[in-house]
């Protein structure tokens, strides 16, 4: 039986299956220090997620660590460089969540434009027939900018074809053979876009990439959607752009200090706020669990991760 350190709870089903096949040490159920003092020498695999991460300090404390298996595609809170230094592979769960995250991004876009959440509150509050809801904005035929045309970004772009939208994107490099127009400057992409969807990875390389000048370029009629990581957007600048009316609206699934949401956003009718649910469907979460298990089994049986980062 492999000794596995699990850094946070996943679904009941996942926790049960993992514990049935391996010796699992659930760190959140114990005194972490005492657990590590007793077992650090025996731990061979860390199971974690994009939420729980894995620090360099923890990796250093585990002399027999051979692999890190993570649930989720983003791995910004895992110190991959520290793992690489020791030759420890890290796996994530890409691709299986593309459709659900892209669906949610598009849902946020439509909600922001057509004010669906706001209209729902309007009806529930008994305002229908008593007050007037302002008009929304058309989605079809508009300009969609995508920051990060990767696996999820491409799925978002595909969805836009049904809405006859024009699409442009910004990555660090243009994609070979891609039909969508590339913008070398994020600022220029924002200036062109009616909607700007953020779908690049989080972490130091992209911190505050969407800053005040980018939001100003998107403008008072523009809408910013974020399904990537809170860190990619300068959050205080976002709040002030919305407060000043320099940005038209925002649809957010992710924040800098989750689960905290900047209080000013809670009061804004032109903002849609979701609690980081991009991949949160029964089907996708099951597929993510299965891919984590497939990575773990493949590593233990053949020494190979299927989807190493
Ligand atoms: P991916 O396939 O690696 O795509 C990322 C894209 O971002 C690539 O096209 C990459 O192109 C671009 N990019 C990276 N760094 C950039 C930079 N500094 N400037 C501009 N573009 C940059 O990743 P994915 O599987 O689509 O996932 C994207 C992210 O979505 C994840 O990392 C995760 O944070 C987030 N996510 C969120 C949820 C949720 O629940 N909301 C769920 C799943 C994933 P270049 O390398 O050419 O620059």
């Amino acid at each position: 039986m492999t000794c596995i350190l699990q850094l946070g709870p996943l679904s009941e089903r996942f926790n049960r299956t993992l514990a049935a096949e391996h010796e699992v040490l659930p760190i959140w159920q114990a005194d972490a220090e005492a657990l590590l003092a007793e077992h650090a020498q025996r731990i061979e695999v860390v199971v974690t997620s994009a939420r729980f991460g894995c620090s360099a300090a923890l990796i250093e404390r585990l002399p027999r660590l051979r692999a890190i298996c993570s649930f989720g595609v983003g791995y910004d809170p895992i110190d991959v460089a520290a793992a690489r230094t020791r030759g420890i592979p890290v796996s994530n769960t890409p691709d299986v969540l593309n459709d659900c995250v892209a669906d949610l991004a598009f849902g946020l876009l439509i909600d922001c434009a057509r004010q669906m959440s706001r209209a729902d509150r309007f009806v529930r509050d008994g305002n229908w027939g008593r007050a007037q809801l302002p008009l929304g904005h058309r989605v079809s035929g508009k300009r969609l900018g995508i920051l990060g045309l990767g696996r999820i970004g491409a799925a978002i772009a595909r969805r836009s074809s049904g809405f006859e939208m024009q699409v442009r994107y910004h990555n660090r490099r243009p994609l070979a053979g891609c039909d969508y127009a590339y913008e070398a400057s994020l600022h220029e992409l924002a200036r062109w876009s009616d909607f700007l969807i953020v779908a690049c990875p989080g972490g130091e390389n992209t911190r505050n990439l969407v800053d005040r000048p980018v939001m100003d370029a998107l403008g008072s009629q523009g809408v910013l959607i974020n399904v990537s990581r809170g860190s990619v957007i300068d959050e205080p600048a976002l709040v002030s752009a919305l407060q000043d009316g320099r940005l038209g609206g925002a649809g957010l699934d992710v924040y800098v200090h989750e689960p905290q949401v900047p209080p000013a956003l809670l009061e804004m009718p032109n903002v849609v706020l979701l609690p980081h649910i991009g991949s949160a469907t029964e089907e996708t979460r099951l597929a993510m669990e299965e891919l984590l298990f497939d990575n773990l089994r493949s590593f233990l049986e053949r020494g190979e991760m299927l989807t190493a980062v």
Side-chain angles (χ1 to χ4, degrees), residues 10 40 45 73 83 141 151 253:
L10 295 171
V45 174
V73 66
R151 290 168 293 226
D253 187 42

Side-chain angles (χ1 to χ4, degrees), residues 157-176:
R158 283 195 297 276
R159 277 150 183 74
S160 74
S161 68
F163 294 84
E164 293 163 346
M165 297 173 93
Q166 302 170 60
V167 177
R168 292 186 186 179
Y169 73 100
H170 172 74
N171 286 358
R172 287 167 296 184
R173 285 168 293 277
L175 288 164

